[in-house]
Amino acid sequence: MVRGFEPCGPVVLAHEPRFQLGALAIDPSRLSVARGGQILHLEARVMQVLVLLAQADGQVVSRAELVERCWVGTIVGENAIQRVISRLRHLAATLGGFAIETVPKVGYLLRLDLIDEPCVSPNRASPTALEPQPVLLPKPVETGVNRRRVTWASGAIVVAGAAGLALPLTASPNPDAEEAQRLVLKAQEAELTGQREANSQAIAYLKRATELDTRSAVAWGELALAYQGRMEQSDENALPALADWVRSAAARALAIDPAIGSAHLALATIAPNFRHWASKERVLRQMERARQPHPAIDGALGSVMCDTGRWQEAIAHYRRALALQPYHPMNRLVLSMALWGGGELDEADRLLENAIRLWPNNLFIWHSRFQFLALTGRAEAAVALVDDNSARPVVSADEATPPYAALRDFALAVQAVQPAEAGKVADRLVKLRGELGTSSVVTYLCVLGRIDDAFPLLHAYYFGSDSRPPPGPLGRRKTSFLFAAKTASMRTDERYTQLLQRVGLQSYWRETGTRSDPRPMTAARL
């Protein structure tokens, strides 16, 4: 018998009681599965599926219901479901107690291995279910600096258990400290996506970790970095308060361990790149010389190099970051953007294509792939990407849904190269700068030949306007797109030189003895 849809909605782990599954003690809210003295920890999605299958009481759960209640209606491929089922089968092989059976073309069922322990299903669980015995997880390796957000995102330490299961070890004399360590690991995993929703989850994990173990310098340092990551994604009015949270958490970390690199990096990156390029580069270079190679430092320096038009140096830093964290989505994305800016289109294309295959639901990767296709002579492929509903990224509640119709019209206008149509699309894009962001709209206007519309947007973005205040000392403003091949049409205009002078980039180049790399003009419009 296949279970039909029920009105109970998604599986909310925080609301699910503890229960026993054969010989296993399951605690959904803590993502833990215990047997005897062993504890394993699951990814949230894996635990949701386990709870749902256990609730079915031996009935088949259809794939549609799995998606509806565990992915909350998000369009997911068969690979995503198979990955979770594979994790559960690995758990069953490790601890026993149950098995997952596939019913071809229908769904899955959970079969219990009842030996001499009773089974209590989740919807009948007792609040006095078996308390798992604590175990000590490996302490996160602190190599001086944990990670640095670059443009949209963060780095993260690769740890044992990142595939969904933590390693069971010996009992800990301090269960609160052990739980704090576990929460730090979960926060690091959450931050891999670089999205706001994941950042909020990481902050929640880390705040709890600092409550459990007030003497954990690692937890306090990670919390400082998580707050700093929120600064990259927040409204300007929220930045001063967030900066205070960064300083507070970093101060707690440094009071415990003055050498904790994550806290030093969080403090060094409170200031934005914008108009702090030289001072920020000096601090990061000092950290680079003082510590072992780390993707966080390379990512931070790569970001400064991109924002000052030094593409080849940015590429070198991002290559090192990606070599240390090869499956970090944002490292891969920003390297592809640097390669594009530096005119190395073939490699940028390969990285973006691989990135969207590995992380098909990432909004930033999807939009970058669209831009790359549309602006490098493959407008038809860009239109096809927009039209493929199944390939559209997952957007969290606090992110704007991409204006797909406007993006499609832009790609068609690039393809047709019709001035009248391009003008209509440009006017529409200007109205959508709140959803798309100024940098994207300016890029699209340059490609459509409307630089007279681009410069007023740039001036409002960097210096304020009647309806928009100028950026404050903590204001985040990107400048990397000013040096990209896709905005090459504006660089022969005298207003461009005046803009760079007023922003302060020419002063930076004089102070550092550097200059922006020459741009490959042929890549602007193919």
Side-chain angles (χ1 to χ4, degrees):
M1 177 177 176
V2 181
R3 287 166 53 86
F5 287 97
E6 299 177 1
C8 49
V11 176
V12 180
L13 296 176
H15 300 164
E16 294 291 338
R18 292 172 294 190
F19 64 96
Q20 286 183 235
L21 189 64
L24 307 181
I26 315 294
D27 189 340
S29 65
R30 292 196 175 196
L31 303 177
S32 67
V33 180
R35 180 167 186 168
Q38 287 189 330
I39 300 178
L40 298 182
H41 284 79
L42 308 183
E43 297 173 6
R45 190 85 70 197
V46 177
M47 179 62 81
Q48 284 178 303
V49 172
L50 177 60
V51 169
L52 182 56
L53 291 172
Q55 286 176 346
D57 290 324
Q59 298 181 53
V60 178
V61 179
S62 70
R63 291 179 178 84
E65 187 174 2
L66 282 176
V67 172
E68 181 70 19
R69 297 193 55 197
C70 299
W71 279 266
V72 197
T74 300
I75 298 174
V76 296
E78 185 64 25
N79 287 343
I81 298 174
Q82 288 291 344
R83 171 186 164 278
V84 171
I85 297 298
S86 175
R87 295 283 189 269
L88 288 176
R89 285 174 172 152
H90 180 81
L91 173 67
T94 303
L95 294 184
F98 72 97
I100 303 293
E101 293 184 4
T102 300
V103 180
K105 300 183 180 180
V106 180
Y108 303 92
L109 65 84
L110 184 149
R111 175 174 53 78
L112 292 171
D113 282 338
L114 292 178
I115 303 174
D116 52 11
E117 290 90 353
C119 172
V120 181
S121 84
N123 47 354
R124 300 191 300 274
S126 164
T128 59
L130 177 65
E131 281 288 347
Q133 298 180 19
V135 295
L136 179 64
L137 291 178
K139 184 176 180 180
V141 177
E142 173 63 58
T143 57
V145 179
N146 289 72
R147 59 182 187 279
R148 159 74 177 112
R149 279 82 188 163
V150 280
T151 308
W152 308 277
S154 65
I157 295 176
V158 179
V159 295
L165 299 175
L167 300 177
L169 297 177
T170 57
S172 169
N174 188 342
D176 285 346
E178 171 239 316
E179 182 68 12
Q181 291 174 7
R182 184 178 296 118
L183 287 166
V184 169
L185 299 185
K186 290 183 64 61
Q188 291 168 346
E189 293 171 20
E191 288 275 46
L192 272 171
T193 66
Q195 301 193 39
R196 185 183 178 92
E197 188 176 56
N199 175 260
S200 298
Q201 183 63 73
I203 289 174
Y205 285 144
L206 292 165
K207 288 174 71 174
R208 179 59 179 154
T210 58
E211 292 169 359
L212 290 168
D213 186 359
T214 60
R215 296 294 299 170
S216 173
V218 171
W220 284 111
E222 289 291 316
L223 182 58
L225 272 177
Y227 283 134
Q228 191 278 336
R230 174 55 59 86
M231 294 182 72
E232 303 295 339
Q233 310 166 10
S234 296
D235 180 85
E236 195 151 329
N237 293 328
L239 296 180
L242 283 169
D244 288 341
W245 283 106
V246 174
R247 296 187 187 99
S248 176
R252 293 292 297 270
L254 293 171
I256 299 165
D257 181 359
I260 195 77
S262 52
H264 285 292
L265 183 60
L267 292 172
T269 51
I270 288 176
N273 287 353
F274 184 61
R275 289 180 168 167
H276 297 90
W277 304 289
S279 59
K280 203 163 184 180
E281 183 181 349
R282 282 195 298 271
V283 172
L284 291 169
R285 296 290 186 199
Q286 291 171 358
M287 297 181 77
E288 183 182 41
R289 290 191 293 269
R291 304 179 188 278
Q292 294 179 346
H294 196 283
I297 302 174
D298 277 310
L301 280 167
S303 178
V304 173
M305 298 301 99
C306 283
D307 276 350
T308 54
R310 296 161 65 182
W311 295 115
Q312 295 307 315
E313 292 173 83
I315 290 168
H317 284 294
Y318 285 135
R319 284 196 198 282
R320 285 199 292 267
L322 192 62
L324 291 168
Q325 292 178 331
Y327 288 98
H328 187 297
M330 304 315 292
N331 280 349
R332 193 173 295 244
L333 176 60
V334 291
L335 175 57
S336 67
M337 294 295 97
L339 289 164
W340 186 8
E344 299 183 35
L345 301 187
D346 288 339
E347 188 175 356
D349 186 29
R350 287 194 299 273
L351 279 172
L352 274 174
E353 179 66 23
N354 289 333
I356 205 166
R357 288 175 181 171
L358 289 167
W359 301 284
N361 291 325
N362 188 292
L363 174 63
F364 307 115
I365 291 174
W366 185 94
H367 195 202
S368 298
R369 183 62 178 162
F370 167 81
Q371 283 194 346
F372 188 83
L373 292 172
L375 303 180
T376 57
R378 286 178 288 174
E380 288 184 5
V383 172
L385 183 65
V386 173
D387 288 345
D388 186 355
N389 291 336
S390 66
R392 289 180 176 179
V394 174
V395 179
S396 64
D398 52 6
E399 290 177 319
T401 301
Y404 292 112
L407 293 176
R408 188 179 194 278
D409 289 344
F410 167 74
L412 289 172
V414 172
Q415 184 181 35
V417 196
Q418 295 177 354
E421 187 63 28
K424 294 178 184 177
V425 172
D427 292 340
R428 186 178 179 188
L429 291 170
V430 170
K431 295 177 182 178
L432 291 170
R433 63 185 179 275
E435 291 93 325
L436 289 169
T438 297
S439 61
S440 291
V441 173
V442 166
T443 295
Y444 296 151
L445 291 175
C446 289
V447 173
L448 293 172
R450 296 285 293 264
I451 62 171
D452 287 341
D453 295 323
F455 278 108
L457 292 182
L458 286 170
H459 276 268
Y461 179 60
Y462 291 127
F463 315 119
S465 64
D466 293 340
S467 59
R468 180 173 187 169
L474 295 174
R476 267 58 184 161
R477 296 291 187 274
K478 297 304 297 179
T479 50
S480 55
F481 66 99
L482 297 177
F483 310 105
K486 52 195 175 182
T487 55
S489 61
M490 73 164 62
R491 284 195 284 279
T492 57
D493 193 295
E494 63 179 9
R495 289 172 290 182
Y496 178 78
T497 303
Q498 295 168 359
L499 180 73
L500 296 185
Q501 179 66 45
R502 188 176 174 190
V503 166
L505 279 162
Q506 292 186 337
S507 297
Y508 162 80
W509 291 324
R510 285 194 297 270
E511 180 180 348
T512 58
T514 60
R515 64 182 181 87
S516 62
D517 296 338
R519 296 279 55 75
M521 301 296 289
T522 55
R525 286 189 66 177
L526 301 181

